Amino acid sequence: MEASFGPTFSTVAAGAKGSTHRRTPSSSSTLTYSPRDDDDMPPIGTPRRSDSAISIRSLHSESNMSLRSTFSLHEEEEDTEPQVFAEQPSVKLCCQLCCNVFKDPVITTCGHTFCRRCALSSDKCPVDTAKLTVVVNNIAVAEQIGELFIHCKYGCRATPASAAAAGGAGAAAGAGVAAPGAATVAVPTITTVAGKPGAYEVDPLGCPFTIKLTSRMEHEVSCDYRPVRCPNNPSCPPLLTKHLEAHLKECEHIKCPHSKYGCTFIGNQDTYETHLEVCKFEGLKEFLQQTDDRFHEMQLTLSQKDQDIAFLRSMLGKLSEKLDQLEKNLELKFDVLDENQSKLSEDLMEFRRDASMLNDELSHINARLNMGILGSYDPQQIFKCKGTFVGHQGPVWCLCVYSTGDLLFSGSSDKTIKVWDTCTTYKCQKTLEGHDGIVLALCIQGNRLYSGSADCTIIVWDIQTLQKVNTIRAHDNPVCTLVSSHNMLFSGSLKAIKVWDIVGTELKLKKELTGLNHWVRALVASQNHLYSGSYQTIKVWDIDTKEQVRTLTGHVGTVYALAVISTPDQTKVFSASYDRSLRVWSMDNMICTQTLLRHQGSVTALAVSRGRLFSGAVDSTVKVGSPPRFLFVIPCGGPFSVCFLFFMPSTGTPTFPLMRNLSFKPVE
């Protein structure tokens, strides 16, 4: 408190320490102070008493701006309570916008402190003209202001001048009750009430206590000078709390306790006691009390019944909702049944189309054989689902096959890479962990596995040991796809494809392919071509020149994955998309030859091995597809031309007996 008020108020502050309010006897002296700058103000020779009210005529701030003639807390517009300080506040506790003691002080971006309301309603700081923006509450200043002493509001009254200006409005609460022996102290202190100036002074007949601002409410709730009303009759004159007990002894409006039953008695304390002796209801009070108790019990019972009825209605409503839900579920099941029936019909039609296509192929083959064409022929392949790998805890985004060990690698949103056995057990052999983001891309070069992730890195793994050997920061955005070719690694990200030279376990950046307007989500290389999936298109690049040569369109969703099967006769590109479809593209004529719909969600990953097509999707499954194969053999010698045709899988041996002088082998 000494630091807040300066040397002039040190005696008062020391005496107030440790208490929240003090009694201030009335004084006839009026004190007026000249402007000062807090601690630098010299001692004032004017007589001073600690129990006197302080009137502040003017104050000169550090910025030399004129302040209002007096200080008070900056009240909200709806706050109409008087605020009279017992001692002069420090200039440092005053807002330079409203010229009052801070109300909810806040620190702004310019470093100065203002009232929150002033800071929010003003555009510029009055000190440095900086834009005002609230940063944080000034707790230290708020605590200092809370330690200031003010007069109890029941010890204040409006000055005659302010009362006249307000049109004769009533004085402050508590005024009008005499305090014997007290002298009037006409010491006005200006406050702002509802945006209008109003003057208040200490009421010598009111509460003599001064209290800390933080303890104001606590004191005023129990103040002896707080106005109250007679509990017997609202028409009785206003009273002070300290006079209520004496008033009740003399009050002429005491009602009989049985007035609610019809007794009309009204009198004072003496006649009240006499009345009870002759009141006809007094003899029946036990019966009346029992009646009231029973009535109360009946009300409680009725209330309980109402609650029971409400509960039963609620249960009935829930049962009705459940019945409605069951009806909706039944309708939904019927809809699903109809949908499944429709799907079965579509599958049957597709099967018939496939059979018709096979018949056409057989006719074409017979025609070619009749023309004397020798060799083998691989017709249009119809891929069918053969199995499902389940184990990831999130969508599968990428697949890669290591044919040497019959291993399948799958990357998922669960940030892991799972290693699957595709030959014997068809189970997960190991889970590789190392990325901090979703695993989006997998690629194999030699005995190295390269994985790309949303963490913008490429991790190099040793396939023999299934251990991480290197981590490369590859892109500024997620690495969406990887592919290797000609001892180079291609990585796709946002609008770019990077070309890396593979040097042992290191990657050296060679070139960056540009001209892309979307995320590169899929890459695959075959022979001298690089295929990239970006948005809904597939772009074909020449690996040697790194130039774009063709664009394939057909998907209606983002292309997430690509795979290629190349033979000396033809090259087929498989694409997986957000539209849940797999498309088979023939590079002979650059058209889509087949569309597969086998997943319940977006197809995000593809891999091919030994004629099998592996597809992963956001339904967290990996599906395996394998086409039927045809083998045609014609002997070269002899006078007869013999033709033999049969179906066989991609691996294994024929199921038909062999003809003499004919040999067979699986078609890869």
Side-chain angles (χ1 to χ4, degrees):
M1 287 294 290
E2 290 184 12
S4 300
F5 295 110
T8 305
F9 303 105
S10 60
T11 304
V12 175
K17 189 174 295 184
S19 64
T20 59
H21 65 278
R22 58 192 179 189
R23 187 179 184 88
T24 56
S26 301
S27 172
S28 60
S29 62
T30 301
L31 305 183
T32 303
Y33 291 98
S34 300
R36 68 179 181 91
D37 189 5
D38 200 29
D39 295 340
D40 295 332
M41 188 189 77
I44 299 175
T46 306
R48 175 186 178 279
R49 293 177 57 122
S50 61
D51 53 4
S52 299
I54 304 298
S55 175
I56 305 172
R57 299 297 183 187
S58 63
L59 206 60
H60 186 67
S61 68
E62 295 177 353
S63 61
N64 295 323
M65 65 180 294
S66 298
L67 304 184
R68 298 180 185 178
S69 60
T70 57
F71 286 86
S72 70
L73 280 181
H74 181 56
E75 299 291 343
E76 298 293 337
E77 290 189 0
E78 63 272 17
D79 188 357
T80 59
E81 295 183 349
Q83 194 94 349
V84 179
F85 286 93
E87 296 160 350
Q88 178 181 0
S90 168
V91 66
K92 294 183 179 180
L93 299 180
C94 301
C95 176
Q96 297 189 46
L97 288 172
C98 66
C99 305
N100 291 324
V101 175
F102 289 114
K103 179 68 174 180
D104 191 9
V106 295
I107 301 175
T108 59
T109 50
C110 61
H112 298 100
T113 299
F114 302 98
C115 302
R116 178 181 293 274
R117 179 181 171 192
C118 295
L120 294 176
S121 60
S122 301
D123 295 331
K124 294 183 179 180
C125 174
V127 179
D128 53 16
T129 69
K131 184 178 180 181
L132 291 182
T133 303
V134 176
V135 177
V136 68
N137 291 339
N138 195 330
I139 300 177
V141 171
E143 290 179 349
Q144 292 185 49
I145 295 174
E147 294 295 319
L148 298 179
F149 278 86
I150 63 171
H151 286 274
C152 174
K153 70 177 181 181
Y154 302 120
C156 303
R157 67 183 179 186
T159 60
S162 64
V177 181
T184 301
V185 182
V187 186
T189 297
I190 305 300
T191 62
T192 301
V193 179
K196 299 179 181 179
Y200 290 91
E201 64 183 4
V202 176
D203 184 358
L205 303 180
C207 178
F209 286 98
T210 58
I211 51 182
K212 286 185 179 180
L213 187 57
T214 55
S215 304
R216 174 179 184 172
M217 294 299 297
E218 180 182 355
H219 165 78
E220 291 176 350
V221 167
S222 59
C223 181
D224 288 341
Y225 290 81
R226 181 170 62 90
V228 293
R229 287 288 182 179
C230 175
N232 296 325
N233 185 13
S235 300
C236 288
L239 303 168
L240 298 183
T241 302
K242 64 179 182 178
H243 298 149
L244 179 60
E245 184 177 356
H247 169 78
L248 292 177
K249 294 180 179 179
E250 301 174 355
C251 182
E252 297 290 338
H253 299 90
I254 300 177
K255 294 183 179 180
C256 177
H258 307 301
S259 59
K260 62 181 179 179
Y261 301 120
C263 183
T264 59
F265 168 81
I266 297 177
N268 56 28
Q269 184 67 30
D270 295 336
T271 58
Y272 169 78
E273 295 176 356
T274 304
H275 166 74
L276 287 181
E277 296 177 357
V278 298
C279 180
K280 61 181 179 179
F281 295 99
E282 182 68 13
L284 300 174
K285 67 178 181 180
E286 293 184 0
F287 170 77
L288 294 175
Q289 183 62 42
Q290 292 176 0
T291 303
D292 285 343
D293 293 342
R294 291 186 62 186
F295 181 72
H296 181 66
E297 290 177 0
M298 292 176 65
Q299 286 183 323
L300 292 178
T301 303
L302 182 60
S303 176
Q304 183 64 39
K305 296 298 182 183
D306 290 340
Q307 293 179 5
D308 293 342
I309 293 173
F311 173 75
L312 291 175
R313 287 178 177 173
S314 175
M315 292 298 297
L316 181 60
K318 291 181 178 179
L319 289 174
S320 299
E321 292 178 359
K322 190 173 182 180
L323 182 60
D324 292 340
Q325 187 64 36
L326 290 175
E327 291 179 354
K328 291 180 180 179
N329 290 340
L330 185 60
E331 293 177 358
L332 180 61
K333 289 181 179 179
F334 278 123
D335 292 340
V336 172
L337 182 61
D338 293 340
E339 183 179 354
N340 290 340
Q341 184 177 0
S342 176
K343 187 175 180 180
L344 288 174
S345 299
E346 292 177 359
D347 291 343
L348 180 59
M349 294 178 63
E350 183 179 357
F351 175 77
R352 289 176 177 174
R353 287 195 300 267
D354 294 342
S356 177
M357 186 169 54
L358 288 175
N359 290 329
D360 293 341
E361 292 291 341
L362 289 175
S363 299
H364 183 62
I365 292 168
N366 287 329
R368 294 186 54 158
L369 291 175
N370 291 333
M371 294 174 61
I373 300 176
L374 303 179
S376 61
Y377 178 72
D378 185 9
Q380 175 69 37
Q381 301 172 2
I382 307 299
F383 289 81
K384 299 295 182 180
C385 180
K386 299 298 182 181
T388 303
F389 292 129
V390 180
H392 278 295
Q393 300 302 312
V396 178
W397 292 103
C398 52
L399 296 171
C400 188
V401 173
Y402 183 60
S403 57
T404 303
D406 287 319
L407 297 178
L408 173 68
F409 298 90
S410 59
S412 169
S413 288
D414 59 15
K415 304 178 184 179
T416 67
I417 302 170
K418 289 191 179 291
V419 186
W420 308 88
D421 175 14
T422 66
C423 184
T424 56
T425 64
Y426 292 93
K427 294 182 179 179
C428 179
Q429 301 298 305
K430 188 173 182 179
T431 299
L432 308 182
E433 298 179 351
H435 281 292
D436 295 329
I438 297 172
V439 181
L440 297 172
L442 291 173
C443 172
I444 288 179
Q445 173 72 14
N447 62 348
R448 297 280 190 266
L449 171 68
Y450 299 88
S451 59
S453 169
D455 60 14
C456 307
T457 65
I458 297 175
I459 294 182
V460 186
W461 308 82
D462 188 305
I463 297 180
Q464 302 300 326
T465 61
L466 297 178
Q467 297 295 324
K468 179 171 66 174
V469 295
N470 195 7
T471 301
I472 298 97
R473 177 78 180 188
H475 288 269
D476 295 331
N477 294 289
V479 181
C480 298
T481 180
L482 294 171
V483 69
S484 63
S485 178
H486 298 73
N487 204 36
M488 293 183 294
L489 183 71
F490 299 85
S491 60
S493 186
L494 177 61
K495 300 182 181 180
I497 299 174
K498 287 189 176 182
V499 185
W500 309 80
D501 279 333
I502 300 176
V503 183
T505 60
E506 297 292 333
L507 295 179
K508 304 296 182 181
L509 182 61
K510 183 177 182 180
K511 187 177 181 180
E512 182 172 345
L513 306 182
T514 58
L516 297 159
N517 296 325
H518 299 280
W519 286 91
V520 180
R521 304 301 297 267
L523 284 174
V524 67
S526 176
Q527 298 177 350
N528 293 324
H529 289 90
L530 174 70
Y531 305 90
S532 64
S534 178
Y535 193 43
Q536 299 175 356
T537 63
I538 302 167
K539 296 183 181 296
V540 184
W541 310 75
D542 190 294
I543 290 182
D544 295 331
T545 64
K546 313 296 187 300
E547 298 294 335
Q548 180 180 335
V549 297
R550 192 64 182 266
T551 299
L552 307 178
T553 60
H555 280 292
V556 294
T558 301
V559 178
Y560 283 146
L562 295 171
V564 174
I565 294 181
S566 294
T567 65
D569 297 333
Q570 60 180 340
T571 299
K572 290 188 177 180
V573 176
F574 301 86
S575 59
S577 170
Y578 174 82
D579 59 18
R580 299 187 301 170
S581 72
L582 296 173
R583 286 180 177 261
V584 185
W585 306 83
S586 174
M587 293 297 102
D588 295 338
N589 48 19
M590 298 291 180
I591 64 173
C592 176
T593 60
Q594 189 178 355
T595 301
L596 308 175
L597 293 174
R598 294 295 181 266
H599 282 280
Q600 300 301 315
S602 302
V603 187
T604 56
L606 287 177
V608 294
S609 176
R610 300 186 179 182
R612 293 170 296 179
L613 178 66
F614 301 89
S615 60
V618 295
D619 56 12
S620 304
T621 66
V622 178
K623 293 188 179 292
V624 186
S626 177
R629 295 296 181 115
F630 305 90
L631 183 64
F632 312 91
V633 179
I634 301 176
C636 297
F640 300 100
S641 176
V642 180
C643 167
F644 186 80
L645 167 67
F646 65 92
F647 293 93
M648 65 179 303
S650 59
T651 59
T653 58
T655 57
F656 294 95
L658 300 181
M659 297 178 64
R660 182 176 296 179
N661 299 326
L662 298 181
S663 62
F664 301 88
K665 63 179 179 180
V667 177
E668 296 295 337

